[in-house]
Structures are given as structure tokens and as C-alpha cells.
Amino acid sequence: VVRPFNEVPGLWKNGWANLYNFWKLDGFRNLHRLTLQNFNTFGPIYREKIGSYESVNIINPEDAAILFKAEGHYPKRLKVEPWTSYRDYRNRKYGVLLKNGEDWRSNRVILNKEVISLKMLENFVPLLDEVGQDFVARVHKKIKRTGQNKWTTDLSQELFKYALESVSSVLYGERLGLMLDYIDPEAQHFIDCITLMFKTTSPMLYIPPALLKQIGSKVWRDHVEAWDGIFNHADRCIQNIYKKLHQDAGTPKKYPGVLASLLMLDKLSIEDIKASVTELMAGGVDTTSITLLWTLYELARHPNLQEELRAEVAAARAESQGDLLEMLKRIPLVKGALKETLRLHPVAVNLQRYIAEDIIIQNYHIPAGTLVQLGLYAMGRHPKVFFRPEQYKPSRWLRTETHYFRSLGFGFGPRQCLGRRIAEAEMQLFLIHILENFRVEKQQHVEVKSTFELILVPDKPIILTLKPV
Ligand code: HEM
Ligand code: 2DC
């Protein structure tokens, strides 16, 4: 017999007491590890309430399949209240990230064609490749300057710039110039604002922003300042393209970028376009850069694997004879490495949906409207889901193991990551260029763990050494 919702194990009766315990355990920064512990305590399904945040949590790929089958026509994630509150406060429109219902769907359908369709990849790849080449040139220069034929550093700032330059070149069809020695302080401020925005979001997931706003708390003020910085810079970039488009009318020969394409298409209002382009620009920095940093860290820890990847890239380069799209089809192990990074170090600790219909998971009845979360971090490290999960092994994604609802780093279905194609191409091209040019080594043995700052980030600087191959 199916057991009722009220019998799902877990701590969900006293949200405020749970919030207090969560806070004592430093849960704001340990969410992923606490989730793992909860699965160990309660089993593959548990119910939870922290403050006003109520959810049912699952871990099995088979249960994920049930969840996504019940997501309905208008899939809906957890409402990130600090983000919607900011927009309400400043009278800004929601973009595709925050919209729901028919408004979301109609915008998303149009954005899909311009941002995530395979057809657009042809346009993106040459732009992204150029940024990759410039990154490599920049590192060579840094190596020369040290006079030691190597460069040892925390690459995170360089990667933030690489990611912002990449996403901007695709969105605006032109370069910001972040791979140069002098960088626009405004761009640097934009990068810092994104990090601050993420960091200040996590405490406000559990405590209503309206309350924090009322008491004038620092976290809300910082959050507003961060979004203000993000919107100001994005507005300036957008305005710049908008003006140019009016100056040189007539159809351009070369691909003009996502923003100009959307403006010329004229299917979304300018306000809708601005809102979503701002989200794309902000969503395109920390996500890919941190995933690349973790990948370099893993490659430094696994030198033999690194050589294998280098060989794959060399062969792909030779076989594809200058055709980049062909080349990207011949690097399965590089793609496996990125999946492996997202398995062990996912950007998003969980995926969540308000289910559109009643479902049965682990023999419990779960009513429509419930927020159900799939613990991505926990699933990636579960020995029943992945054979020897502690091992970083890109080849597991080739054929040997089943992939059924296991590769979910970008989410699933029509509400999955809109930036996925950009992110994948950007990261693959980055690794190609790095592997062709440098050997990546680590210093001593330093075990880096992750901290939850809305997205998962390294808990300490990752120091790596790059040497010309
Ligand atoms: C949504 C992951 C890079 C823009 C998401 C979601 C995940 C995710 C898990 C939620 C999907 C779901 O609920 O099913 C990642 C990862 C990235 C990455 C792992 C890189 C390694 C990017 C980039 C951009 C971007 C580069 C922008 C160019 C977005 C947007 C959404 C989203 C706009 C909301 C889509 C919607 O609600 O319709 N991402 N992302 N992401 N991401 Fe990404
Ligand atoms: C964080 O419990 C943990 O892609 C919460 O590019 C549930 C939750 C809800 C929404 C998720 C968030 C988590 C992690 C970061 C995500 C976000 C949706 C989109 C966002 C996954 C899992 C991200 C990083 C976007 C951000 C774009 C934005 C800054 C403009």
C-alpha cells in the first residue's frame, strides 16, 4: 500500500527550530553536506522545513525520472525570493530565469532559437574560439614575465574574465577586451557584484527578504548593491549595441550576437529582451569559470589522465583539419571530464520543481504543488548510483555505465539551463586550448572542498602551475 505524505521521514514539523539548528551547523555554507547527511539518516526520501522553506528531497535517478515526468507544461523551480524582491523593489522586469507560466514559455521558446539551438553553435564557436586563443596568449605572456618558464597562481580571477569575455562576445557580437593587461574597472566591478549577489542570496533563501528589508539588514543592502552593479553594467552594454544597431542599419553580413538578433527579430518587447540578456550575462560568469577551475584542479591531480586528454585533442585537431565544429565532435573524453567535474562539483546542489500532479516516490504519496528537490551533489557521490564515486573518471561517461537520469548538471527538460550550449562550447574550447599549450600541475597536496554560496565554490584558493608543453 502507498503510504501517506505525512509519513515521509524527516524534520518538517517545526521550521523555525530547524532553522536554528541549521544555522548552528553553519548550514548556510554546508547545505550540500547536510543534505548528504540527511539521506544517510532518513534514506532515499525525506521531507524538510527550514524556516519557511519546505521541500521533499530525493536522490535516485529513477525517482528523478518520476519527478520530471510530473513537471507539467510550465515547469517551475523554487522561487528565489531575494532575486524577485530586488526586481519588485527596483521596478525591473523578470527575465526568463524568474518568469513563470505562459509568460515564461512564450519568452523561452523565442530565446531557445537564439541561445540554445544547435544551429546557433555555428555562430558561437568562432567567437568563443577567439577568446580561448587570447586566453592562451595571455598565459604565455605571464609565463614569459616570470622568467621561470612557468606560472603559478590562483586562476579564478583570470577565469572570471575569460567567462565574462566569452559570454559577452556571444551576447553582443563584440569583445570587451578583458584578456588585455588593462581592464575596464567597470567590468571588474561587474564580476565582483555577481559574486556578492550569489553570496548574499543564500541566507535569504530561509529568511524572507521582506523581513530583512524591513529591519534594514546588511545582507539585504549588500544584495541590492550587488544587483544594482549588475544591472547598471548590463544596461550600458545593451544600450551600446542598441545605438549601434540604429546607426548602421541594413543587414549585417556577419553574425551580430544574441542581443542584436533578438532586437532585429522583434518578437519580444525591448524590456523583455533586456531582462533576459542581463540574466544571461550574469549567469555566464561564475558558473563556467568555477567548473573550469575544478576541472583544471582534477587534471592537475591526475597527470596520466591529462596526457590522455591531450592526445585526444591532438588527434581531433589533426582529423578535423581546421573545422572546429568537427573537432568538437571528436573529443568524447574531454566532454566526459566536464560531466565528471559537474558530478563531483555541481554548480547547483539540487534541482527542484513544484510538481504539477500527484506522484508516488519510494512508495509515498506526494501531492501536486509540493516542492520536490533532487539532490544533485548527493546523487553524484552515492555509491549505489555511481561505481566508486570518489574517483574522477571521465571514461565512465563513454559507454561502460548507464547514464539514465545521471547527467543532470544543467538541469532537465524545457526549463533546463538556457546557457547550456554556450557553457559547453566555451568550456570545451577552453580545455582544448589549455591542453594544447600547457601542462597543469598542482603545488603540494591540498584537499579542496566546496562551500555553498548559492552555487558551490571552492572553500580555499586553488593554486596551480602552468608550464608550456
Ligand atoms: C538555469 C546550471 C551556465 C544561464 C540553470 C539551471 C541549472 C544550471 C542547473 C536550472 C535548470 C533546471 O531547473 O532544470 C548551469 C551550469 C553552468 C551554467 C552547470 C555551467 C557550467 C550558464 C550560462 C548561462 C546560464 C553560461 C548564460 C549564458 C541560465 C539561465 C537559466 C539557467 C538563464 C534559467 C533558465 C529558465 O529558467 O528557463 N543553469 N548553468 N547558465 N542558466 Fe545555467
Ligand atoms: C540553490 O536550495 C540551492 O544556474 C537552493 O545561471 C535551490 C536553488 C534554486 C535555484 C538555483 C540555485 C539553487 C543554484 C543556482 C541556479 C539557480 C537557478 C539558476 C542558477 C542553478 C539550486 C544559475 C547559477 C543561473 C544564475 C543566473 C542569475 C544569476 C542571473
Side-chain angles (χ1 to χ4, degrees):
V1 292
V2 176
R3 287 171 286 182
F5 189 47
N6 277 348
E7 286 177 20
V8 178
L11 295 170
W12 49 271
K13 291 202 168 131
N14 193 339
W16 300 107
N18 295 337
L19 177 61
Y20 176 72
N21 286 322
F22 187 72
W23 173 75
K24 272 205 311 201
L25 294 168
D26 203 11
F28 292 151
R29 285 187 286 152
N30 280 316
L31 177 66
H32 50 308
R33 279 182 287 268
L34 292 178
T35 306
L36 207 63
Q37 274 178 24
N38 283 329
F39 284 120
N40 288 334
T41 311
F42 298 118
I45 182 167
Y46 69 89
R47 206 173 149 182
E48 170 178 74
K49 187 171 183 185
I50 303 173
S52 48
Y53 186 154
E54 230 185 315
S55 64
V56 166
N57 293 268
I58 58 174
I59 186 171
N60 287 327
E62 293 69 25
D63 297 338
I66 300 174
L67 163 61
F68 287 114
K69 264 170 213 136
E71 70 176 2
H73 200 51
Y74 304 115
K76 200 172 155 214
R77 278 191 296 272
L78 169 78
K79 174 172 161 174
V80 180
E81 255 191 67
W83 298 354
T84 54
S85 296
Y86 170 81
R87 283 152 181 82
D88 298 345
Y89 176 58
R90 288 283 193 237
N91 250 313
R92 294 246 181 206
K93 274 206 100 166
Y94 295 2
V96 74
L97 172 77
L98 300 176
K99 284 180 188 289
N100 280 311
E102 188 48 46
D103 190 25
W104 167 78
R105 196 166 178 95
S106 59
N107 275 251
R108 175 84 198 212
V109 164
I110 293 159
L111 289 166
N112 279 346
K113 290 204 196 85
E114 299 299 323
V115 184
I116 199 179
S117 77
L118 273 171
K119 218 184 81 203
M120 283 302 147
L121 210 53
E122 274 171 55
N123 295 321
F124 298 164
V125 162
L127 294 167
L128 295 170
D129 185 57
E130 203 188 283
V131 183
Q133 288 182 24
D134 289 355
F135 185 87
V136 162
R138 180 169 167 83
V139 174
H140 277 304
K141 211 157 110 189
K142 293 274 189 188
I143 290 175
K144 275 227 177 69
R145 281 189 201 155
T146 68
Q148 299 179 312
N149 204 36
K150 64 180 183 188
W151 185 35
T152 299
T153 188
D154 171 6
L155 277 172
S156 53
Q157 278 304 319
E158 294 297 328
L159 290 170
F160 285 154
K161 288 190 278 178
Y162 168 76
L164 179 55
E165 184 78 23
S166 294
V167 75
S168 303
S169 78
V170 165
L171 292 176
Y172 306 123
E174 56 178 49
R175 298 288 300 269
L176 297 183
L178 302 178
M179 299 289 98
L180 306 172
D181 277 337
Y182 172 82
I183 88 147
D184 180 7
E186 254 180 40
Q188 185 60 54
H189 183 63
F190 180 78
I191 290 173
D192 297 339
C193 283
I194 295 174
T195 307
L196 181 66
M197 179 277 290
F198 279 130
K199 206 185 167 109
T200 51
T201 302
S202 47
M204 289 194 278
L205 286 177
Y206 307 94
I207 307 164
L211 188 95
L212 293 167
K213 191 170 133 192
Q214 199 136 57
I215 63 172
S217 86
K218 176 156 166 59
V219 67
W220 168 254
R221 280 183 284 131
D222 285 351
H223 194 68
V224 168
E225 201 184 299
W227 276 121
D228 282 347
I230 292 169
F231 274 96
N232 284 341
H233 188 60
D235 278 350
R236 220 164 290 128
C237 294
I238 293 169
Q239 208 52 42
N240 174 37
I241 298 298
Y242 189 76
K243 267 195 222 136
K244 280 193 188 148
L245 206 63
H246 278 262
Q247 279 159 11
D248 39 61
T251 40
K253 278 165 246 76
K254 75 175 207 338
Y255 176 68
V258 169
L259 172 61
S261 302
L262 286 169
L263 289 169
M264 291 186 294
L265 198 64
D266 200 23
K267 283 192 181 160
L268 292 177
S269 74
I270 294 189
E271 290 310 307
D272 275 341
I273 293 174
K274 279 167 90 174
S276 283
V277 168
T278 303
E279 289 172 356
L280 285 166
M281 194 180 175
V285 179
D286 297 33
T287 47
T288 50
S289 53
I290 288 169
T291 305
L292 285 173
L293 186 59
W294 282 120
T295 306
L296 295 180
Y297 169 74
E298 294 291 358
L299 296 187
R301 298 208 300 170
H302 302 87
N304 294 337
L305 169 69
Q306 189 181 143
E307 293 313 317
E308 241 181 279
L309 290 168
R310 211 182 320 279
E312 182 187 75
V313 168
R317 176 73 77 188
E319 286 164 22
S320 56
Q321 298 175 336
D323 183 338
L324 277 172
L325 284 162
E326 265 315 304
M327 189 172 178
L328 294 182
K329 288 182 195 149
R330 294 165 195 264
I331 49 167
L333 206 58
V334 170
K335 292 176 182 172
L338 288 166
K339 285 190 185 162
E340 200 60 349
T341 301
L342 288 174
R343 177 178 70 80
L344 286 169
H345 315 283
V347 170
V349 290
N350 62 48
L351 302 175
Q352 44 343 108
R353 294 288 184 265
Y354 294 96
I355 49 174
E357 52 192 83
D358 289 22
I359 53 176
I360 296 166
I361 291 189
Q362 297 290 329
N363 214 27
Y364 288 101
H365 173 248
I366 304 170
T370 305
L371 180 69
V372 181
Q373 307 194 125
L374 169 71
L376 259 196
Y377 177 90
M379 184 180 91
R381 288 165 185 259
H382 196 91
K384 287 215 175 98
V385 181
F386 292 99
F387 179 67
R388 298 208 180 137
E390 71 290 351
Q391 291 184 358
Y392 186 85
K393 218 179 105 195
S395 65
R396 74 169 82 232
W397 296 101
L398 297 185
R399 224 156 275 117
T400 40
E401 296 176 25
T402 172
H403 303 163
Y404 185 70
F405 279 91
R406 278 162 177 76
S407 174
L408 295 172
F410 291 97
F412 180 83
R415 188 112 217 194
Q416 70 179 278
C417 177
L418 177 60
R420 178 176 192 160
R421 295 269 176 267
I422 298 174
E424 286 174 341
E426 176 189 321
M427 296 193 296
Q428 290 161 14
L429 287 162
F430 178 90
L431 291 177
I432 286 175
H433 287 298
I434 287 290
L435 286 162
E436 286 181 327
N437 284 277
F438 309 106
R439 196 158 275 124
V440 188
E441 293 172 6
K442 67 178 169 57
Q443 293 292 82
Q444 336 72 355
H445 179 79
V446 188
E447 179 80 21
V448 184
K449 296 214 168 75
S450 37
T451 303
F452 176 72
E453 288 185 358
L454 198 80
I455 59 173
L456 283 186
V457 301
D459 70 346
K460 51 176 90 64
I462 296 180
I463 309 296
L464 297 170
T465 300
L466 299 178
K467 292 181 180 166
V469 286

